[in-house]
mmCIF file of all heavy atoms in Angstrom:
data_model
loop_
_atom_site.group_PDB
_atom_site.id
_atom_site.type_symbol
_atom_site.label_atom_id
_atom_site.label_comp_id
_atom_site.label_asym_id
_atom_site.label_seq_id
_atom_site.Cartn_x
_atom_site.Cartn_y
_atom_site.Cartn_z
ATOM 1 N N LEU B 54 -52.885 229.806 57.664
ATOM 2 C CA LEU B 54 -53.345 228.531 58.223
ATOM 3 C C LEU B 54 -54.289 228.750 59.389
ATOM 4 O O LEU B 54 -55.164 227.919 59.650
ATOM 5 C CB LEU B 54 -52.146 227.702 58.681
ATOM 6 C CG LEU B 54 -51.516 226.805 57.635
ATOM 7 C CD1 LEU B 54 -50.382 226.033 58.250
ATOM 8 C CD2 LEU B 54 -52.551 225.842 57.088
ATOM 9 N N ARG B 57 -60.039 230.658 58.716
ATOM 10 C CA ARG B 57 -61.008 229.773 58.077
ATOM 11 C C ARG B 57 -61.201 230.212 56.638
ATOM 12 O O ARG B 57 -61.309 231.418 56.388
ATOM 13 C CB ARG B 57 -62.334 229.865 58.819
ATOM 14 C CG ARG B 57 -63.061 228.561 58.903
ATOM 15 C CD ARG B 57 -63.984 228.560 60.093
ATOM 16 N NE ARG B 57 -64.820 229.757 60.109
ATOM 17 C CZ ARG B 57 -66.142 229.719 60.276
ATOM 18 N NH1 ARG B 57 -66.739 228.565 60.396
ATOM 19 N NH2 ARG B 57 -66.842 230.807 60.334
ATOM 20 N N PRO B 58 -61.214 229.282 55.687
ATOM 21 C CA PRO B 58 -61.398 229.713 54.309
ATOM 22 C C PRO B 58 -62.827 230.189 54.042
ATOM 23 O O PRO B 58 -63.778 229.686 54.652
ATOM 24 C CB PRO B 58 -61.078 228.469 53.485
ATOM 25 C CG PRO B 58 -61.193 227.341 54.421
ATOM 26 C CD PRO B 58 -60.997 227.838 55.810
ATOM 27 N N LEU B 60 -65.436 230.167 51.079
ATOM 28 C CA LEU B 60 -65.665 229.582 49.757
ATOM 29 C C LEU B 60 -66.779 230.333 49.054
ATOM 30 O O LEU B 60 -67.697 230.840 49.699
ATOM 31 C CB LEU B 60 -66.077 228.123 49.888
ATOM 32 C CG LEU B 60 -64.985 227.102 50.142
ATOM 33 C CD1 LEU B 60 -65.600 225.725 50.180
ATOM 34 C CD2 LEU B 60 -63.937 227.175 49.057
ATOM 35 N N GLU B 62 -70.200 230.765 47.021
ATOM 36 C CA GLU B 62 -71.431 230.039 47.313
ATOM 37 C C GLU B 62 -71.622 228.813 46.434
ATOM 38 O O GLU B 62 -72.150 227.800 46.879
ATOM 39 C CB GLU B 62 -72.635 230.981 47.150
ATOM 40 C CG GLU B 62 -72.920 231.743 48.419
ATOM 41 C CD GLU B 62 -73.383 233.152 48.139
ATOM 42 O OE1 GLU B 62 -73.463 233.524 46.956
ATOM 43 O OE2 GLU B 62 -73.659 233.879 49.113
ATOM 44 N N ASN B 63 -71.210 228.908 45.184
ATOM 45 C CA ASN B 63 -71.456 227.755 44.311
ATOM 46 C C ASN B 63 -70.217 226.887 44.147
ATOM 47 O O ASN B 63 -70.116 226.138 43.197
ATOM 48 C CB ASN B 63 -71.960 228.228 42.944
ATOM 49 C CG ASN B 63 -70.899 228.998 42.204
ATOM 50 O OD1 ASN B 63 -70.059 229.631 42.841
ATOM 51 N ND2 ASN B 63 -70.915 228.935 40.893
ATOM 52 N N ASP B 100 -38.454 208.531 39.097
ATOM 53 C CA ASP B 100 -38.310 208.492 37.642
ATOM 54 C C ASP B 100 -38.695 209.865 37.098
ATOM 55 O O ASP B 100 -39.665 210.472 37.561
ATOM 56 C CB ASP B 100 -39.236 207.399 37.106
ATOM 57 C CG ASP B 100 -39.233 207.352 35.615
ATOM 58 O OD1 ASP B 100 -38.238 206.899 35.049
ATOM 59 O OD2 ASP B 100 -40.235 207.770 35.022
ATOM 60 N N ASP B 121 -63.765 225.949 38.970
ATOM 61 C CA ASP B 121 -64.876 225.447 39.782
ATOM 62 C C ASP B 121 -65.929 226.500 40.044
ATOM 63 O O ASP B 121 -67.110 226.200 40.034
ATOM 64 C CB ASP B 121 -64.327 224.892 41.094
ATOM 65 C CG ASP B 121 -65.404 224.215 41.896
ATOM 66 O OD1 ASP B 121 -66.235 223.534 41.256
ATOM 67 O OD2 ASP B 121 -65.450 224.367 43.112
ATOM 68 N N GLY B 123 -66.548 229.252 38.331
ATOM 69 C CA GLY B 123 -67.177 229.803 37.135
ATOM 70 C C GLY B 123 -66.956 231.291 36.998
ATOM 71 O O GLY B 123 -67.813 232.010 36.494
ATOM 72 N N ALA B 139 -48.729 222.560 27.425
ATOM 73 C CA ALA B 139 -48.651 221.805 26.175
ATOM 74 C C ALA B 139 -47.340 222.089 25.456
ATOM 75 O O ALA B 139 -46.850 221.246 24.710
ATOM 76 C CB ALA B 139 -49.836 222.158 25.280
ATOM 77 N N THR B 159 -34.042 206.842 32.941
ATOM 78 C CA THR B 159 -34.695 208.065 33.373
ATOM 79 C C THR B 159 -34.793 208.113 34.891
ATOM 80 O O THR B 159 -35.417 209.015 35.439
ATOM 81 C CB THR B 159 -36.109 208.180 32.787
ATOM 82 O OG1 THR B 159 -36.795 206.957 33.057
ATOM 83 C CG2 THR B 159 -36.074 208.420 31.304
ATOM 84 N N GLU B 218 -59.968 232.718 44.129
ATOM 85 C CA GLU B 218 -61.085 232.473 45.041
ATOM 86 C C GLU B 218 -60.646 231.766 46.317
ATOM 87 O O GLU B 218 -61.454 231.520 47.185
ATOM 88 C CB GLU B 218 -62.161 231.636 44.349
ATOM 89 C CG GLU B 218 -62.770 232.287 43.121
ATOM 90 C CD GLU B 218 -63.553 233.530 43.461
ATOM 91 O OE1 GLU B 218 -64.133 233.582 44.555
ATOM 92 O OE2 GLU B 218 -63.563 234.463 42.631
ATOM 93 N N ARG B 222 -56.817 228.447 54.829
ATOM 94 C CA ARG B 222 -55.876 227.320 54.715
ATOM 95 C C ARG B 222 -55.742 226.854 53.276
ATOM 96 O O ARG B 222 -54.693 226.351 52.890
ATOM 97 C CB ARG B 222 -56.299 226.178 55.624
ATOM 98 C CG ARG B 222 -57.693 225.658 55.375
ATOM 99 C CD ARG B 222 -57.949 224.372 56.149
ATOM 100 N NE ARG B 222 -59.319 223.944 55.930
ATOM 101 C CZ ARG B 222 -60.323 224.264 56.725
ATOM 102 N NH1 ARG B 222 -60.116 224.984 57.809
ATOM 103 N NH2 ARG B 222 -61.550 223.871 56.437
ATOM 104 N N ARG B 317 -22.014 208.571 17.540
ATOM 105 C CA ARG B 317 -21.703 207.877 16.294
ATOM 106 C C ARG B 317 -20.194 207.855 16.042
ATOM 107 O O ARG B 317 -19.667 206.934 15.437
ATOM 108 C CB ARG B 317 -22.407 208.635 15.178
ATOM 109 C CG ARG B 317 -22.440 208.008 13.844
ATOM 110 C CD ARG B 317 -23.552 208.655 13.101
ATOM 111 N NE ARG B 317 -24.789 208.359 13.793
ATOM 112 C CZ ARG B 317 -25.483 207.286 13.547
ATOM 113 N NH1 ARG B 317 -25.086 206.431 12.646
ATOM 114 N NH2 ARG B 317 -26.587 207.050 14.201
ATOM 115 N N TRP C 401 -46.461 205.813 29.974
ATOM 116 C CA TRP C 401 -45.100 205.711 30.519
ATOM 117 C C TRP C 401 -44.292 204.716 29.688
ATOM 118 O O TRP C 401 -43.165 205.016 29.276
ATOM 119 C CB TRP C 401 -45.161 205.262 31.980
ATOM 120 C CG TRP C 401 -43.850 205.295 32.680
ATOM 121 C CD1 TRP C 401 -43.277 206.379 33.261
ATOM 122 C CD2 TRP C 401 -42.939 204.198 32.869
ATOM 123 N NE1 TRP C 401 -42.064 206.027 33.789
ATOM 124 C CE2 TRP C 401 -41.830 204.704 33.581
ATOM 125 C CE3 TRP C 401 -42.948 202.864 32.517
ATOM 126 C CZ2 TRP C 401 -40.747 203.911 33.922
ATOM 127 C CZ3 TRP C 401 -41.871 202.068 32.874
ATOM 128 C CH2 TRP C 401 -40.787 202.593 33.567
ATOM 129 N N GLN C 405 -41.167 205.620 27.336
ATOM 130 C CA GLN C 405 -39.873 204.980 27.571
ATOM 131 C C GLN C 405 -39.371 204.315 26.289
ATOM 132 O O GLN C 405 -38.178 204.366 25.978
ATOM 133 C CB GLN C 405 -39.979 203.938 28.686
ATOM 134 C CG GLN C 405 -40.153 204.528 30.071
ATOM 135 C CD GLN C 405 -38.884 205.178 30.594
ATOM 136 O OE1 GLN C 405 -37.866 205.193 29.931
ATOM 137 N NE2 GLN C 405 -38.956 205.740 31.784
ATOM 138 N N GLY C 414 -30.145 202.994 15.781
ATOM 139 C CA GLY C 414 -28.819 203.213 15.204
ATOM 140 C C GLY C 414 -28.787 203.976 13.899
ATOM 141 O O GLY C 414 -27.770 204.553 13.571
ATOM 142 N N GLN C 419 -33.089 208.027 14.338
ATOM 143 C CA GLN C 419 -32.889 208.651 15.643
ATOM 144 C C GLN C 419 -33.514 210.033 15.683
ATOM 145 O O GLN C 419 -34.197 210.392 16.653
ATOM 146 C CB GLN C 419 -31.389 208.744 15.931
ATOM 147 C CG GLN C 419 -30.764 207.398 16.217
ATOM 148 C CD GLN C 419 -29.275 207.501 16.398
ATOM 149 O OE1 GLN C 419 -28.627 208.368 15.826
ATOM 150 N NE2 GLN C 419 -28.719 206.602 17.187
ATOM 151 N N GLY C 450 -68.190 225.160 37.496
ATOM 152 C CA GLY C 450 -68.713 226.479 37.181
ATOM 153 C C GLY C 450 -70.186 226.591 37.502
ATOM 154 O O GLY C 450 -70.741 225.830 38.295
ATOM 155 N N ARG C 451 -70.831 227.541 36.854
ATOM 156 C CA ARG C 451 -72.262 227.770 37.094
ATOM 157 C C ARG C 451 -73.075 227.121 35.980
ATOM 158 O O ARG C 451 -72.541 226.820 34.918
ATOM 159 C CB ARG C 451 -72.529 229.276 37.113
ATOM 160 C CG ARG C 451 -71.838 229.977 38.248
ATOM 161 C CD ARG C 451 -72.050 231.462 38.176
ATOM 162 N NE ARG C 451 -70.968 232.146 37.491
ATOM 163 C CZ ARG C 451 -71.145 232.988 36.489
ATOM 164 N NH1 ARG C 451 -72.356 233.230 36.041
ATOM 165 N NH2 ARG C 451 -70.124 233.582 35.930
ATOM 166 N N ALA C 520 -34.936 202.448 34.195
ATOM 167 C CA ALA C 520 -36.051 203.091 34.871
ATOM 168 C C ALA C 520 -37.109 202.075 35.263
ATOM 169 O O ALA C 520 -37.243 201.019 34.658
ATOM 170 C CB ALA C 520 -36.649 204.141 33.952
ATOM 171 N N SER C 546 -55.531 224.537 61.669
ATOM 172 C CA SER C 546 -56.516 225.452 61.117
ATOM 173 C C SER C 546 -57.874 225.243 61.776
ATOM 174 O O SER C 546 -58.223 224.114 62.103
ATOM 175 C CB SER C 546 -56.608 225.204 59.611
ATOM 176 O OG SER C 546 -57.616 225.998 59.075
ATOM 177 N N PRO C 547 -58.644 226.298 61.975
ATOM 178 C CA PRO C 547 -60.005 226.132 62.532
ATOM 179 C C PRO C 547 -60.872 225.327 61.570
ATOM 180 O O PRO C 547 -60.710 225.416 60.356
ATOM 181 C CB PRO C 547 -60.514 227.564 62.671
ATOM 182 C CG PRO C 547 -59.652 228.379 61.789
ATOM 183 C CD PRO C 547 -58.327 227.696 61.726
ATOM 184 N N ALA C 551 -66.431 229.019 55.688
ATOM 185 C CA ALA C 551 -67.509 229.998 55.581
ATOM 186 C C ALA C 551 -67.886 230.113 54.114
ATOM 187 O O ALA C 551 -67.095 229.788 53.237
ATOM 188 C CB ALA C 551 -67.047 231.338 56.119
ATOM 189 N N GLY C 553 -69.507 232.619 51.040
ATOM 190 C CA GLY C 553 -69.808 233.994 50.683
ATOM 191 C C GLY C 553 -69.914 234.104 49.188
ATOM 192 O O GLY C 553 -69.668 233.123 48.473
ATOM 193 N N TRP C 556 -65.509 236.097 44.944
ATOM 194 C CA TRP C 556 -64.753 237.351 45.001
ATOM 195 C C TRP C 556 -64.584 237.919 43.589
ATOM 196 O O TRP C 556 -64.979 239.056 43.330
ATOM 197 C CB TRP C 556 -63.415 237.066 45.677
ATOM 198 C CG TRP C 556 -62.277 237.967 45.312
ATOM 199 C CD1 TRP C 556 -61.070 237.604 44.833
ATOM 200 C CD2 TRP C 556 -62.233 239.390 45.441
ATOM 201 N NE1 TRP C 556 -60.273 238.698 44.637
ATOM 202 C CE2 TRP C 556 -60.964 239.818 44.991
ATOM 203 C CE3 TRP C 556 -63.148 240.359 45.860
ATOM 204 C CZ2 TRP C 556 -60.582 241.144 44.962
ATOM 205 C CZ3 TRP C 556 -62.765 241.686 45.833
ATOM 206 C CH2 TRP C 556 -61.500 242.071 45.389
ATOM 207 N N ASP C 557 -64.077 237.128 42.651
ATOM 208 C CA ASP C 557 -64.026 237.497 41.240
ATOM 209 C C ASP C 557 -63.445 238.883 41.012
ATOM 210 O O ASP C 557 -63.971 239.680 40.238
ATOM 211 C CB ASP C 557 -65.442 237.409 40.627
ATOM 212 C CG ASP C 557 -65.381 237.321 39.115
ATOM 213 O OD1 ASP C 557 -64.275 237.098 38.592
ATOM 214 O OD2 ASP C 557 -66.426 237.473 38.472
#
Side-chain angles (χ1 to χ4, degrees):
Chain B
L54 272 182
R57 217 155 50 131
L60 281 182
E62 273 144 359
N63 66 331
D100 176 73
D121 187 39
T159 51
E218 299 294 328
R222 57 170 177 267
R317 190 160 297 272
Chain C
W401 187 83
Q405 288 288 0
Q419 289 176 330
R451 296 176 265 128
S546 176
W556 153 235
D557 199 12

